[in-house]
Amino acid sequence: MFSRTLQRAVGALFAASALAAAPALAADAWKPTKPVRLLVGFAPGGSADTLARLLAEPLSQRLGQTVVVENLAGAGGNIMAFRLSQSQPDGYTIGIAAAGSMAITHVLNAKGTSYKPTDFTPITLAAVQPNVVIVNKDVPANNLAELKDYFQKTPTATYGTAGVGISNHLIAETMLYKLGVKVPHAAYRGAAPVITDLLGGHIAMTMDNISTAAPLALQGKVKAIGVASLKRSPQLPDVPTLDEQGLKGFDMPTWQGVFAPAGLPADVLAAYYAALQDVLKQPGVKEKMAGLGSEPVTGMTPEQFGQFLENDRKQWADIVRAANISLEQ
């Protein structure tokens, strides 16, 4: 069930860029006259923060105004998303967000959230990257089968991610569900404190983006167990995929997109879309993203991004129901 559903969702990420019927958006219809705030929902050091800082400088050059990255960590990105939803739709506050705050939170929280999907203007999908299962180097496991055995024999073992309800949390829960093991989850305020506790042996495992996981694994600070995609990553060519290790069709990447508050004027939206497309196509940006294991996604218009978000929420709802995942995990 998972593999077919998720393959369709992931395929849409790349297929959207090839759609010839995408409406043309006028470039440079609006120019900011003061600095722009680029909000990030996680602490410095994680993939969302890294992407924001990578895009900020060329975006500043393209817009003609400074783009200032502002970290508002906590609640799996929901604090930032709420702040963005309450901001003026004047083009001077935008945000980078992912599935956790823009799709999953609305699925997990049956009582409702402090903001709604309609409180935002989707601008474009910006990046996608594979996730990697990494463990403390003292954990006696070097592959997925041994990790399953370790968890079955060690009921005190825990794993952590950068928040309840973020995509990495649900991806890890999906993996554990398919392995048939239950492991307590510890939620953190960002990727950096997760890694600190992983290195210190306070948690056994995390599921993290390759931009964070690969350098740690290559330095021998952690062990990479498997890549959560259908093909191996150039950053970790010797690490087999979860699909290779028996979880057939397991393909669950992380994505990041750019958003503004609802009600953003059409000329401002057009200007941001054009600017971001230009930035994401720049060879220097593409090269830096590739070095981090992240792939830029270009050509997804605001309308297509909005449809992608609707589909993504439906996919996560299927996963949450099937794996019986709740906010208490």
Side-chain angles (χ1 to χ4, degrees):
M1 171 189 171
F2 290 138
S3 60
R4 290 194 300 272
T5 301
L6 291 169
Q7 285 174 15
R8 287 197 299 269
V10 174
L13 291 173
F14 303 101
S17 64
L19 290 177
L25 296 178
D28 300 326
W30 171 85
K31 285 285 189 182
T33 58
K34 61 182 181 180
V36 172
R37 300 164 66 216
L38 176 56
L39 307 184
V40 181
F42 298 94
S47 61
D49 176 75
T50 300
L51 177 64
R53 296 182 189 280
L54 176 59
L55 297 181
E57 182 177 350
L59 187 58
S60 296
Q61 295 172 354
R62 183 64 167 72
L63 295 174
Q65 285 289 336
T66 302
V67 176
V68 181
V69 177
E70 184 175 335
N71 297 86
L72 297 173
N78 289 354
I79 290 175
M80 183 282 288
F82 174 72
R83 185 78 61 86
L84 181 63
S85 74
Q86 299 299 301
S87 299
Q88 291 296 318
D90 55 10
Y92 292 100
T93 305
I94 58 175
I96 286 184
S101 58
M102 291 298 172
I104 297 171
T105 189
H106 305 295
V107 172
L108 279 178
N109 198 328
K111 296 180 180 180
T113 60
S114 58
Y115 58 91
K116 306 182 297 298
T118 53
D119 289 337
F120 305 95
T121 299
I123 299 176
T124 192
L125 187 68
V128 62
Q129 59 275 138
N131 292 292
V132 184
V133 182
I134 55 176
V135 300
N136 176 275
K137 62 182 181 180
D138 294 327
V139 170
N142 295 293
N143 56 52
L144 195 60
E146 291 176 355
L147 183 62
K148 175 182 177 179
D149 183 65
Y150 168 75
F151 281 137
Q152 289 176 329
K153 294 178 178 178
T154 316
T156 57
T158 61
Y159 83 96
T161 66
V164 173
I166 67 169
S167 60
N168 288 354
H169 171 211
L170 265 70
I171 294 167
E173 285 293 329
T174 303
M175 180 193 76
L176 295 170
Y177 168 78
K178 298 187 80 171
L179 288 175
V181 294
K182 197 72 174 176
V183 183
H185 172 245
Y188 292 79
R189 292 176 63 87
V194 176
I195 297 304
T196 297
D197 272 11
L198 182 68
L199 296 178
H202 302 294
I203 57 175
M205 181 198 86
T206 189
M207 176 81 72
D208 209 342
N209 307 139
I210 196 155
S211 58
T212 301
L216 293 169
L218 293 172
Q219 294 166 20
K221 295 181 178 180
V222 300
K223 291 189 288 187
I225 298 297
V227 180
S229 64
L230 294 180
K231 61 180 181 180
R232 296 194 184 194
S233 168
Q235 278 68 38
L236 295 171
D238 296 327
V239 178
T241 66
L242 299 183
D243 174 83
E244 290 179 80
Q245 297 184 68
L247 295 187
K248 296 302 181 183
F250 201 104
D251 190 11
M252 301 184 75
T254 292
W255 59 260
Q256 286 105 15
V258 184
F259 297 80
L264 192 70
D267 61 333
V268 181
L269 175 59
Y272 268 115
Y273 176 77
L276 285 163
Q277 294 308 303
D278 178 73
V279 168
L280 290 167
K281 292 175 183 176
Q282 291 181 14
V285 171
K286 293 170 67 175
E287 182 180 354
K288 290 177 182 178
M289 290 179 70
L292 296 169
S294 184
E295 184 171 347
V297 179
T298 56
M300 185 176 281
T301 66
E303 292 80 7
Q304 292 166 346
F305 190 25
Q307 184 59 56
F308 164 79
L309 290 166
E310 288 186 24
N311 293 339
D312 203 44
R313 293 182 191 109
K314 293 176 183 176
Q315 311 290 358
W316 285 114
D318 290 342
I319 294 168
V320 167
R321 282 193 297 268
N324 194 29
I325 299 169
S326 72
L327 284 171
E328 283 69 41
Q329 291 177 311

